[in-house]
Amino acid sequence: MMVEAVNVRKSFGDVEVLKGIDLTVAAGEVVSLLGPSGSGKSTFLRCINHLERIDCGEISVNGELVGYRRHGGRKYELRPRETAAARRHVGMVFQRFNLFPHRTAVENVMEAPVFVKRETRAAARSQALALLDRVGLADKAAAYPAQLSGGQQQRVAIARALAMRPTLMLFDEPTSALDPELVGEVLEVMKDLAADGMTMIVVTHEIGFAREVCQRVVFMDAGAVVEAGPPAQVLSNPTHARTRTFLQKVL
Amino acid sequence: MSTADEPIVRLRHPGRWVAAAAIVFLLAVFVHFVATAPKLRLDLVAGYLFEKSILLGLVKTLQLTVIAMLVGVVLGTILAVMRLSENPVLRSVAGGYVWLFRGTPILVQLLFWFFLGTVVPNISIGLPFGGPDLISWPTNTVITQFTAAILGLGLNEAAYMAEIVRAGIGSVDSGQREAAEALSMSPWITYRRVILPQAARLIVPPTANQTISMLKLTSLVLVIGLPELTTTAQLIYGRNFQQIPLLIVASLWYLVLTTILTVVQNRLENRMSRGVLR
């Protein structure tokens, strides 16, 4: 199993936002997390690479515990540097892109290979140019993020995440901050990635993308998984009333 | 010819011309007055501008500014990181430092360090809480005029720099740290490659401001008798009673240094604003 989450619980203050999530994702699988805002889907995604600490349960990626070390019947939290090393195989794409504004597109993509993996600048640059080409932005390598459209920035952000050669990609509402006419170009890149066999977990409101690309759809509400299954089943014949109400609103 | 082709006449601003003429007239009167005032002795300005003791005072002013700013920036950055730390003890100690050093006049702080020897006759390294001394010096040989000046100016500056650095770091979007973490950057690399370069853009202008301010603040050390630029000018006019010409000499040098610092500031700001659309 690529991702294995068991009884994941998380609270912010007195509010429990994840109430025992169980989810497994196989290698090569594309799964989308759907649900109303505040349902905990983004928080759960952020727990998968330990951007949020979980309060209970456990998550493992590639068979390794995320953020903790098991020893003598306890789980000890890792130091920040160890957590950083453990994240190497997990790429993440954010709703608001979070490109480094003081670096050009190609420098954004080179940054982690050079300063984390200690690759040479030349090797990192040629890889970065190839990745920018793959997301259709070979001609924008020297542009700063502020000179790019939202869709272009998000594609650079995807290339930047791919530069670490992840085996799992997490997408946190990657098209929610985009103008409607720019959504398509980002979804195209994601479709290509899925077709190449990348394991992906996508928090999204794009029902069309979920139906077309994902093998499985997980519907969450109020911090719990309501139902999960193939898109044809969950999106066309939902068994739960809450799923039906949600789909009526977004479709 | 249709009415649409009639030419457009822009609004005229006669008031602007009147105001400009009045200001130019007043300037001309002022310049004439200065140039012809016989007691002003502008000839002395040229004579004293490169006088040896003035130049020595200038060097002392530069030394004080550079060293006090170095102390201020280094200690200020440490204090800023302490204030942003999750450790409540570090946080409140840094907060207390800023409170104390911003809350008392710098003149008092300068005099305090200078007169420290009157209450603490010896400075020693030894075991704390009344243990034996290993090595000891008389305070007055350690705290000279110069060290008192550096302590007064530098420690005071650190309090202001701490706030400037803290604001700079705090204004970097939290998404930047998350993106760096998600790329599996260690905290140190995140700081060095992502947070600090973006914070620096916001830290440079106020720091340049502080440096220019420090340049002139150093003239306060005349209260402890250290002969920097202003004190030297004062010493000279104490003998020849040409106060205004010598104050002009000092002012000209301050203006020269401020101009140089402004140029440096502009260069730095241009370099730092990579990727920012104007």
Side-chain angles (χ1 to χ4, degrees), chain B residues 45-65:
Chain B
V45 172
Y48 275 112
L49 201 54
F50 297 101
E51 208 261 336
K52 195 177 169 214
S53 60
I54 288 283
L55 290 181
L56 285 175
L58 179 68
V59 169
K60 200 55 95 185
T61 289
L62 272 174
Q63 281 178 347
L64 283 171
T65 305

Side-chain angles (χ1 to χ4, degrees), chain A residues 63-207:
Chain A
E64 277 184 52
L65 217 50
V66 173
Y68 299 88
R69 185 191 304 108
R70 198 186 303 281
H71 184 75
R74 282 162 196 264
K75 285 173 283 198
Y76 293 91
E77 190 175 353
L78 297 179
R79 294 165 206 269
R81 230 149 53 92
E82 297 169 322
T83 308
R87 283 195 187 106
R88 271 197 188 197
H89 304 292
V90 185
M92 184 153 185
V93 173
F94 298 87
Q95 181 177 356
R96 286 175 55 246
F97 329 133
N98 296 345
L99 289 180
F100 304 135
H102 55 305
R103 310 216 184 278
T104 61
V106 71
E107 286 169 349
N108 263 278
V109 182
M110 289 166 63
E111 192 70 13
V114 171
F115 287 92
V116 177
K117 281 181 158 179
R118 300 283 160 199
E119 285 178 16
T120 65
R121 287 198 155 267
R125 173 172 283 273
S126 64
Q127 184 200 230
L129 290 173
L131 283 168
L132 286 176
D133 189 38
R134 183 169 167 191
V135 299
L137 290 172
D139 55 331
K140 297 288 184 189
Y144 284 99
Q147 299 166 320
L148 299 173
S149 74
Q152 291 170 333
Q153 288 190 53
Q154 193 61 298
R155 285 187 280 155
V156 173
I158 294 173
R160 179 176 70 171
L162 291 175
M164 289 296 283
R165 302 188 184 284
T167 50
L168 168 68
M169 284 284 284
L170 308 174
F171 292 85
D172 187 6
E173 303 202 23
T175 58
S176 297
L178 297 177
D179 290 338
E181 79 270 22
L182 303 176
V183 169
E185 59 188 69
V186 173
L187 291 182
E188 269 319 304
V189 169
M190 290 168 63
K191 278 181 203 168
D192 284 349
L193 258 184
D196 283 353
M198 176 67 77
T199 314
M200 294 162 60
I201 304 179
V202 186
V203 172
T204 185
H205 294 295
E206 296 291 329
I207 304 295

